[in-house]
Amino acid sequence: MSGYHLSHLDELEAEAIHIMREVVSEFENPVMLYSVGKDSSVMVRLARKAFAPGKLPFPLLHVDTGFKFEEMYAFRDKFVKDIDANLIVEGNEKAKADGANPFDLGTSQCCALLKTKGLLDALKEGKYDAAFGGARRDEEKSRAKERVYSFRDKFGHWDPKNQRPELWNLYNGQHNKGENIRVFPLSNWTELDIWLYIYKEQIPIVPMYFAKKRPMIVRDEQLIPVEGPMRLKEGEEPEMISCRFRTLGCSPCTGAIRSEADTLEKVIEEIMTARQSERITRIIDHDRDGSMELKKREGYF
Amino acid sequence: MGIKELLRENENKDLLRLLTCGSVDDGKSTMIGRLLHDSKQIYDDHLSTLEKDSKKVGSAGEAIDFSLLLDGLKAEREQGITIDVAYRYFSTPKRKFIIADCPGHAQYTRNMATGASTANLAVVLIDARHGVVEQTKRHSFIASLLDIGHIVVAINKMDLVDYSQEVYDKIRSEYEDFASRLEVRNIHFIPMSALMGDNIVEQSPNMPWFMGTPLLEYLQTVHIASDRNLIDMRFPVQYVLRQDMSFRGFCGTVASGILRPGSEVSVLPSGKRTKIKSIHTFEGMVDEAYPPMAVTVATEDEVDISRGDMLVAPNNSPRVSQSFDAAVVWMSEEPLDTERHYRIKHCSTHAQAEVTNVVYRFNVNTIGREEADSLTLNEIGRLRIDTSRPLAFDPYRRNRATGNFILIDPLSNATVAAGLILDRTSDEDQIQQPKVSTNIRQQVSPVSLEEREARLGQKSATIWLTGLPKSGKSTIANGLERHLFDQNRMVHVLDGENLRHGLSENLGFTALDRSEHIRRAASVAKMCNDLGLITVVALVSPYETDRCHARTIVGAEKFFEVHIDAPIEVCEERDTDGLYVAAKSGEIERFTGVTAPYEPPVNPDLKIDSKETPIDLAVQKIVDLLSGRGILG
């Protein structure tokens, strides 16, 4: 029987909107984590849709490590201004002042301080009881295990062995004071869904997702951008390579991929035929087996 | 392929949500891993990690241990078990898939129910060496309870039983025996070895006796009927949006039915009436909203509407009550305590809930009912539940979105149970019918029906023929009329189309107008029956609720529902008037079977396949039915 049928993308959109409205109805002080990446761009668009013609009923929160790319900061400020959103920028200022960096501390320790601790402190300080995040289940195998409402105890910790059952679209948001949940409205989106949606909706994203010639060095099969506080090893010479970023994180820990895809159409074509996963360029994911799960249990997204 | 075609192809792909379940070590995660691997859905870097992990902690020797692909938690990998659901996403040129890989341990049944609640197909794995075990039954039962229409029984590890057809046949008949007590529309069997890749993506050369298709092919082609309900308008209000003084809108996700500006709505539980003024989305206003669209509705009048209320069509209301029966899966280590209050979440409503009666507990091995006074972890039973405020609900089988709920422990905040509301029980109040003004008295005729029937030498009855346009209703009705008339019966036909030239000439084809059309036809039939006549009604009558209403008007003992069933292609072929063509081109709106739904009768008195049955035989079948029920002596 034909008619009255939503496309897959429309269905994903409706699901995300439903989740956001549910959270805003049942929580006192929600916040939306904004990482400047493509998934964040999509999530913010969905939030605007959920509450149109009204304004976003919550602020955006960027946990800034201080190691993001210049292009990201520029994009962030313009994006937020264009949509007239309330952006809060927080970070672990003490660790930053102490000069925390991945070169000396290693990526695990650096992440724990600048990202996880920065996030937990910001949530505590803002007394947020719900925080939206743009994580997707198809990104990583421990994320594939997570609920839409990811319950965190008062230390911000996740207990993957004891998650609440989550049936149909009935989300249980009951919580005690001091506890909070992370909410993942994009749980069921794949990387391709995100790109198709960006295309369909013409959502602005950081230009680093598109290929152009950039000064890069090649290290352990990864393309590392020459930017910010990066340290060249002996014999390393930056070269101009046509490349783009498949995910965006901190500049010392995010690699690029060789690519000629300089338009949305070409990027989508590239994603369709990719043989490598999205997060292969994220150095933090490969520290050791289960490293994402460990980070998450401690409070990371 | 260009981006435009790609998008179009992508939009046209349908989505199959499936889960894998069955007992521990039946090979669920391995099967999905194998499915993804053999259909080239695993990224190269994931595959090389998998190969490394397999050597380190795998349980498949030097070979790849596919379960490690899905078991994403450290505790799972260490113990070699699945604790919680893993979701995987993949797509083929034909379909998109969301797979929920569910744990097999009885202890984690609640996680299986989580995965099952959104699925439309379940793959139940069975270890060929062990056959049907308790967990096979428990999971199949939960799948049936949650109304998953399709089950694929994957008889796995066939390599360990020498690919024996005898073993397969034995397990198959064992399962069929058990499944005859379930309510699952479609059960399909596939023998396989997930570990070796037999019948996963490629046809197995080791089981030439198996004539069916491998798993992937089956999943790509199985027809999944939509579980959406487009009939009963239900709009649970989730959030009230106020934009300065100028706009007040009610946000929500359409649970079922179709909302249109101008439609009358009744606000439950208060019962206040208003009209939909407009339906808003980010992109602007829309003419229609249907499930599962998330929209914002503005109303004509300033009525008090808040979160937890439900907008419904006034002539088609759900039940509003503070008490109902439900099938409940208990999910907490703490057993059900009938002395305690729980919190219930139903649609966007929260209330206090009390279990006033444990009606019975299911024995999952036999699907039999046992007496019980509580439910413990993973047990399933039928409960009577009272709530502190009225809820507006439908039975789960009719309407998933308004028929489900969860129970929450108010102390721990844990979700302790999932519930499915059952159809109203006989001892409960019947649906509230609009009351006839008490000032109008019914006049009683001095001539009784029995006297009239005696004079005519027959008993009166209404034979209600329902079916798609051009399914053959009128032809059969006329055949029946001729046949009965020739046997000296007083009989006549009420044809839907003819009625639309007279009594119903002011009605169109909206759901509302169709309801009214049917009410009129049923009322005429009732009058004719009261005169002692046999009335044959030929009417598309696509909605179950309307036919139920007709049955009530005529009186159940005189009402015979006959479903004239023909595949839509056959109806189209017969359609010399070109109605279907016109409907498809949009020339005719709301044409049943094309742009408006048809709900086949759940329990007709008779079903006639008009493609296979010649007219005389069809007439004879109806005559037999009437003779059997004492209408024709």
Side-chain angles (χ1 to χ4, degrees):
Chain A
M1 223 158 269
S2 58
Y4 302 117
H5 186 79
L6 286 189
S7 76
H8 183 46
L9 278 183
D10 289 339
E11 231 176 88
L12 288 172
E13 175 187 290
E15 180 183 64
I17 291 175
H18 178 85
I19 293 164
M20 290 178 183
R21 288 171 172 174
E22 202 59 18
V23 170
V24 168
S25 303
E26 294 203 333
F27 288 82
E28 275 174 26
N29 197 15
V31 67
M32 178 166 279
L33 291 202
Y34 175 68
S35 76
V36 199
K38 62 184 192 313
D39 305 290
S40 282
S41 281
V42 167
M43 182 165 63
V44 172
R45 167 65 59 98
L46 291 164
R48 292 173 63 209
K49 287 196 174 197
F51 302 101
K55 278 190 62 149
L56 287 188
F58 40 73
L60 304 182
L61 171 65
H62 181 212
V63 178
D64 187 12
T65 59
F67 282 107
K68 302 295 173 189
F69 294 91
E70 280 313 312
E71 279 178 85
M72 290 172 73
Y73 290 118
F75 177 87
R76 177 191 75 187
D77 295 341
K78 181 171 186 314
F79 180 79
V80 169
K81 198 166 152 243
D82 286 349
I83 63 165
D84 190 22
N86 173 16
L87 174 77
I88 298 169
V89 180
E90 291 280 1
N92 184 347
E93 298 310 325
K94 183 172 179 307
K96 283 192 205 169
D98 291 347
N101 70 72
F103 316 111
D104 300 320
L105 294 173
T107 54
S108 284
Q109 184 62 18
C110 183
C111 256
L113 279 173
L114 292 182
K115 284 178 146 178
T116 307
K117 179 107 184 14
L119 171 64
L120 292 176
D121 288 351
L123 292 179
K124 202 164 179 183
E125 193 170 317
K127 297 197 172 61
Y128 300 114
D129 51 1
F132 294 102
R136 295 177 282 109
R137 286 174 178 150
D138 93 318
E139 279 180 80
E140 202 275 338
K141 61 181 184 287
S142 65
R143 284 193 165 157
K145 292 269 167 184
E146 201 157 16
R147 302 276 192 261
V148 172
Y149 274 28
S150 180
F151 193 80
R152 304 301 168 107
D153 64 16
K154 61 181 179 185
F155 305 104
H157 292 186
W158 178 53
D159 181 2
K161 284 170 77 174
N162 194 24
Q163 302 194 79
R164 285 180 181 171
E166 194 168 78
L167 292 102
W168 305 290
N169 61 358
L170 287 177
Y171 302 100
N172 174 4
Q174 296 302 120
H175 61 285
N176 293 325
K177 235 184 157 50
E179 297 168 337
N180 64 68
I181 59 159
R182 309 287 169 81
V183 187
F184 302 111
L186 305 182
S187 283
N188 287 320
W189 296 57
T190 64
E191 185 189 14
L192 183 62
D193 294 329
I194 293 286
W195 280 107
L196 292 174
Y197 193 72
I198 288 172
Y199 178 79
K200 179 170 163 258
E201 302 274 321
Q202 295 295 307
I203 297 172
I205 47 171
V206 185
M208 295 169 69
Y209 286 112
F210 300 110
K212 78 170 193 191
K213 282 203 153 103
R214 297 182 167 90
M216 307 294 280
I217 55 163
V218 184
R219 185 188 292 169
D220 302 333
E221 293 174 37
Q222 294 262 20
L223 287 185
I224 311 284
V226 181
E227 172 157 345
M230 73 120 25
R231 297 175 189 176
L232 289 180
K233 289 185 182 167
E234 226 183 274
E236 283 180 339
E237 267 303 321
E239 47 183 312
M240 295 300 282
I241 296 175
S242 176
C243 61
R244 66 175 204 90
F245 293 82
R246 211 163 147 193
T247 72
L248 292 179
C250 294
S251 66
C253 297
T254 304
I257 52 167
R258 287 175 196 273
S259 169
E260 302 290 334
D262 55 0
T263 63
L264 258 180
E265 287 87 341
K266 287 184 195 165
V267 169
I268 291 173
E269 218 176 303
E270 190 183 276
I271 303 282
M272 297 278 297
T273 51
R275 291 306 311 157
Q276 304 286 331
S277 74
E278 183 180 11
R279 293 190 72 93
I280 192 165
T281 53
R282 296 295 278 270
I283 293 158
I284 56 162
D285 290 1
H286 313 303
D287 295 344
R288 58 191 142 137
D289 182 33
S291 62
M292 174 65 96
E293 182 189 340
L294 287 176
K295 285 195 184 70
K296 284 166 66 68
R297 293 172 75 126
E298 286 158 13
Y300 183 67
F301 254 85
Chain B
M1 198 186 308
I3 182 83
K4 295 245 157 57
E5 290 96 274
L6 185 75
L7 272 174
R8 203 171 311 120
E9 185 197 274
N10 206 65
E11 299 241 328
N12 290 332
K13 269 188 208 176
D14 65 354
L15 172 69
L16 176 62
R17 290 172 181 258
L18 64 126
L19 79 148
T20 55
C21 53
S23 193
V24 193
D25 282 337
D26 283 351
K28 295 175 289 296
S29 306
T30 306
M31 187 193 78
I32 298 174
R34 175 58 88 169
L35 185 68
L36 296 172
H37 177 264
D38 290 6
S39 57
K40 314 228 164 8
Q41 298 277 347
I42 305 178
Y43 288 122
D44 291 346
D45 53 313
H46 287 172
L47 191 59
S48 71
T49 311
L50 179 64
E51 282 165 357
K52 259 188 277 163
D53 288 357
S54 298
K55 293 208 173 91
K56 214 162 62 188
V57 290
S59 54
E62 281 300 292
I64 296 179
D65 179 352
F66 286 106
S67 66
L68 294 176
L69 195 64
L70 275 298
D71 290 335
L73 300 177
K74 223 158 171 287
E76 295 179 322
R77 301 153 78 80
E78 282 163 7
Q79 300 173 60
I81 59 165
T82 306
I83 292 173
D84 212 331
V85 193
Y87 293 92
R88 287 295 298 218
Y89 304 79
F90 79 102
S91 92
T92 66
K94 291 182 189 157
R95 249 188 191 154
K96 291 185 172 228
F97 297 89
I98 300 180
I99 307 183
D101 179 32
C102 295
H105 278 86
Q107 186 190 345
Y108 304 124
T109 300
R110 61 183 176 203
N111 295 337
M112 178 270 171
T114 293
S117 69
T118 50
N120 28 39
L121 181 145
V123 181
V124 180
L125 280 94
I126 296 178
D127 185 330
R129 295 168 303 173
H130 305 164
V132 177
V133 296
E134 177 167 335
Q135 206 56 354
T136 322
K137 295 179 179 173
R138 185 187 301 275
H139 283 175
S140 302
F141 181 51
I142 293 176
S144 152
L145 201 64
L146 291 173
D147 201 19
I148 297 178
H150 305 263
I151 288 184
V152 175
V153 182
I155 300 174
N156 190 26
K157 307 200 183 183
M158 289 299 292
D159 55 316
L160 299 181
V161 294
D162 299 325
Y163 297 106
S164 152
Q165 182 176 6
E166 204 181 314
V167 172
Y168 168 78
D169 287 342
K170 187 168 157 286
I171 295 174
R172 179 180 170 143
S173 82
E174 200 182 339
Y175 188 89
E176 277 173 339
D177 252 10
F178 164 77
S180 62
R181 280 160 279 170
L182 300 178
E183 289 183 64
V184 180
R185 287 189 288 281
N186 169 18
I187 299 179
H188 184 82
F189 295 83
I190 303 178
M192 64 175 61
S193 164
L195 193 68
M196 313 303 281
D198 291 288
N199 284 340
I200 303 290
V201 171
E202 301 291 335
Q203 192 83 34
S204 167
N206 297 314
M207 291 174 274
W209 46 265
F210 177 66
M211 296 298 154
T213 51
L215 179 67
L216 180 63
E217 180 60 23
Y218 183 75
L219 294 179
Q220 290 200 99
T221 50
V222 58
H223 174 74
I224 300 291
S226 166
D227 55 13
R228 287 172 320 145
N229 172 330
L230 295 173
I231 313 296
D232 311 311
M233 186 218 283
R234 306 282 186 262
F235 184 73
V237 175
Q238 217 187 344
Y239 180 77
V240 180
L241 189 76
R242 264 181 225 88
Q243 168 77 346
D244 49 62
M245 297 303 283
S246 60
F247 184 81
R248 194 167 69 119
F250 306 100
C251 305
T253 302
V254 183
S256 60
I258 300 166
L259 273 66
R260 296 189 179 94
S263 298
E264 280 236 27
V265 291
S266 153
V267 184
L268 297 180
S270 74
K272 287 193 207 84
R273 295 281 192 93
T274 182
K275 271 186 182 171
I276 295 178
K277 183 177 173 193
S278 47
I279 304 171
H280 301 256
T281 69
F282 181 74
E283 285 78 18
M285 290 200 249
V286 293
D287 293 337
E288 287 181 318
Y290 47 90
M293 283 169 72
V295 296
T296 301
V297 169
T299 54
E300 288 282 359
D301 316 287
E302 288 274 326
V303 212
D304 173 14
I305 303 176
S306 52
R307 174 172 165 87
D309 288 345
M310 191 186 283
L311 307 186
V312 307
N315 66 330
N316 171 355
S317 282
R319 254 187 97 212
V320 179
S321 172
Q322 290 181 252
S323 180
F324 53 82
D325 273 25
V328 168
V329 184
W330 197 256
M331 301 177 148
S332 166
E333 278 87 7
E334 297 259 327
L336 160 66
D337 183 349
T338 48
E339 303 290 309
R340 280 188 60 185
H341 281 185
Y342 294 93
R343 180 186 269 270
I344 184 169
K345 184 171 185 186
H346 167 261
C347 293
S348 49
T349 310
H350 282 269
Q352 299 251 313
E354 187 184 28
V355 176
T356 55
N357 185 16
V358 180
V359 186
Y360 49 77
R361 175 177 60 209
F362 285 104
N363 176 325
V364 293
N365 277 307
T366 60
I367 316 298
R369 298 161 183 190
E370 303 172 337
E371 239 182 76
D373 45 23
S374 174
L375 294 176
T376 60
L377 181 65
N378 300 321
E379 286 187 337
I380 303 160
R382 177 176 184 146
L383 307 180
R384 169 70 53 88
I385 294 175
D386 283 2
T387 56
S388 60
R389 30 180 311 198
L391 304 181
F393 55 82
D394 297 285
Y396 180 83
R397 287 220 164 235
R398 166 141 192 114
N399 201 332
R400 272 196 198 194
T402 54
N404 60 35
F405 63 88
I406 53 173
L407 294 180
I408 299 165
D409 182 324
L411 295 178
S412 69
N413 292 327
T415 307
V416 293
L420 311 114
I421 297 173
L422 300 168
D423 220 335
R424 77 184 71 86
T425 50
S426 52
D427 60 340
E428 285 175 90
D429 307 334
Q430 288 297 309
I431 227 168
Q432 288 181 352
Q433 296 292 346
K435 292 214 175 69
V436 180
S437 165
T438 45
N439 297 326
I440 302 170
R441 274 217 319 266
Q442 295 228 348
Q443 294 292 335
V444 181
S445 165
V447 184
S448 75
L449 173 62
E450 287 71 29
E451 289 174 82
R452 294 180 200 274
E453 287 182 332
R455 176 167 295 176
L456 294 172
Q458 66 179 40
K459 279 198 182 308
S460 68
T462 294
I463 299 105
W464 191 280
L465 309 184
T466 169
L468 288 169
K470 301 292 170 191
S471 57
K473 296 178 299 297
S474 298
T475 317
I476 293 172
N478 292 336
L480 182 64
E481 184 183 31
R482 182 83 251 165
H483 177 91
L484 292 177
F485 186 79
D486 288 345
Q487 303 211 327
N488 290 325
R489 308 288 184 181
M490 288 300 280
V491 56
H492 72 123
V493 171
L494 276 182
D495 190 277
E497 285 188 47
N498 291 352
L499 282 179
R500 283 186 178 278
H501 289 293
L503 183 60
S504 289
E505 67 183 2
N506 61 335
L507 296 179
F509 291 89
T510 62
L512 212 66
D513 282 0
R514 283 179 197 271
S515 283
E516 176 58 17
H517 183 46
I518 286 160
R519 191 189 67 80
R520 292 180 191 180
S523 302
V524 174
K526 161 77 174 156
M527 282 188 236
C528 296
N529 283 176
D530 287 347
L531 295 173
L533 304 179
I534 295 173
T535 304
V536 186
V537 181
L539 203 59
V540 177
S541 45
Y543 302 146
E544 180 80 9
T545 34
D546 292 336
R547 294 191 302 262
C548 280
H549 192 199
R551 184 185 291 268
T552 314
I553 292 172
V554 170
E557 72 289 351
K558 289 200 175 290
F559 188 87
F560 298 91
E561 187 181 45
V562 180
H563 180 198
I564 309 299
D565 190 21
I568 190 153
E569 303 79 54
V570 175
C571 299
E572 280 181 54
E573 250 167 58
R574 287 178 188 156
D575 177 19
T576 45
D577 304 335
L579 295 177
Y580 277 89
V581 178
K584 281 186 174 168
S585 70
E587 211 173 297
I588 305 180
E589 284 184 340
R590 303 203 179 102
F591 189 78
T592 302
V594 181
T595 42
Y598 179 76
E599 295 181 345
V602 182
N603 225 340
D605 294 280
L606 181 66
K607 182 171 158 177
I608 292 173
D609 179 348
S610 74
K611 182 184 171 215
E612 303 296 336
T613 320
I615 309 277
D616 349 346
L617 187 57
V619 167
Q620 193 53 50
K621 280 186 170 186
I622 299 174
V623 169
D624 290 347
L625 168 75
L626 297 175
S627 308
R629 303 282 182 88
I631 298 297
L632 302 177

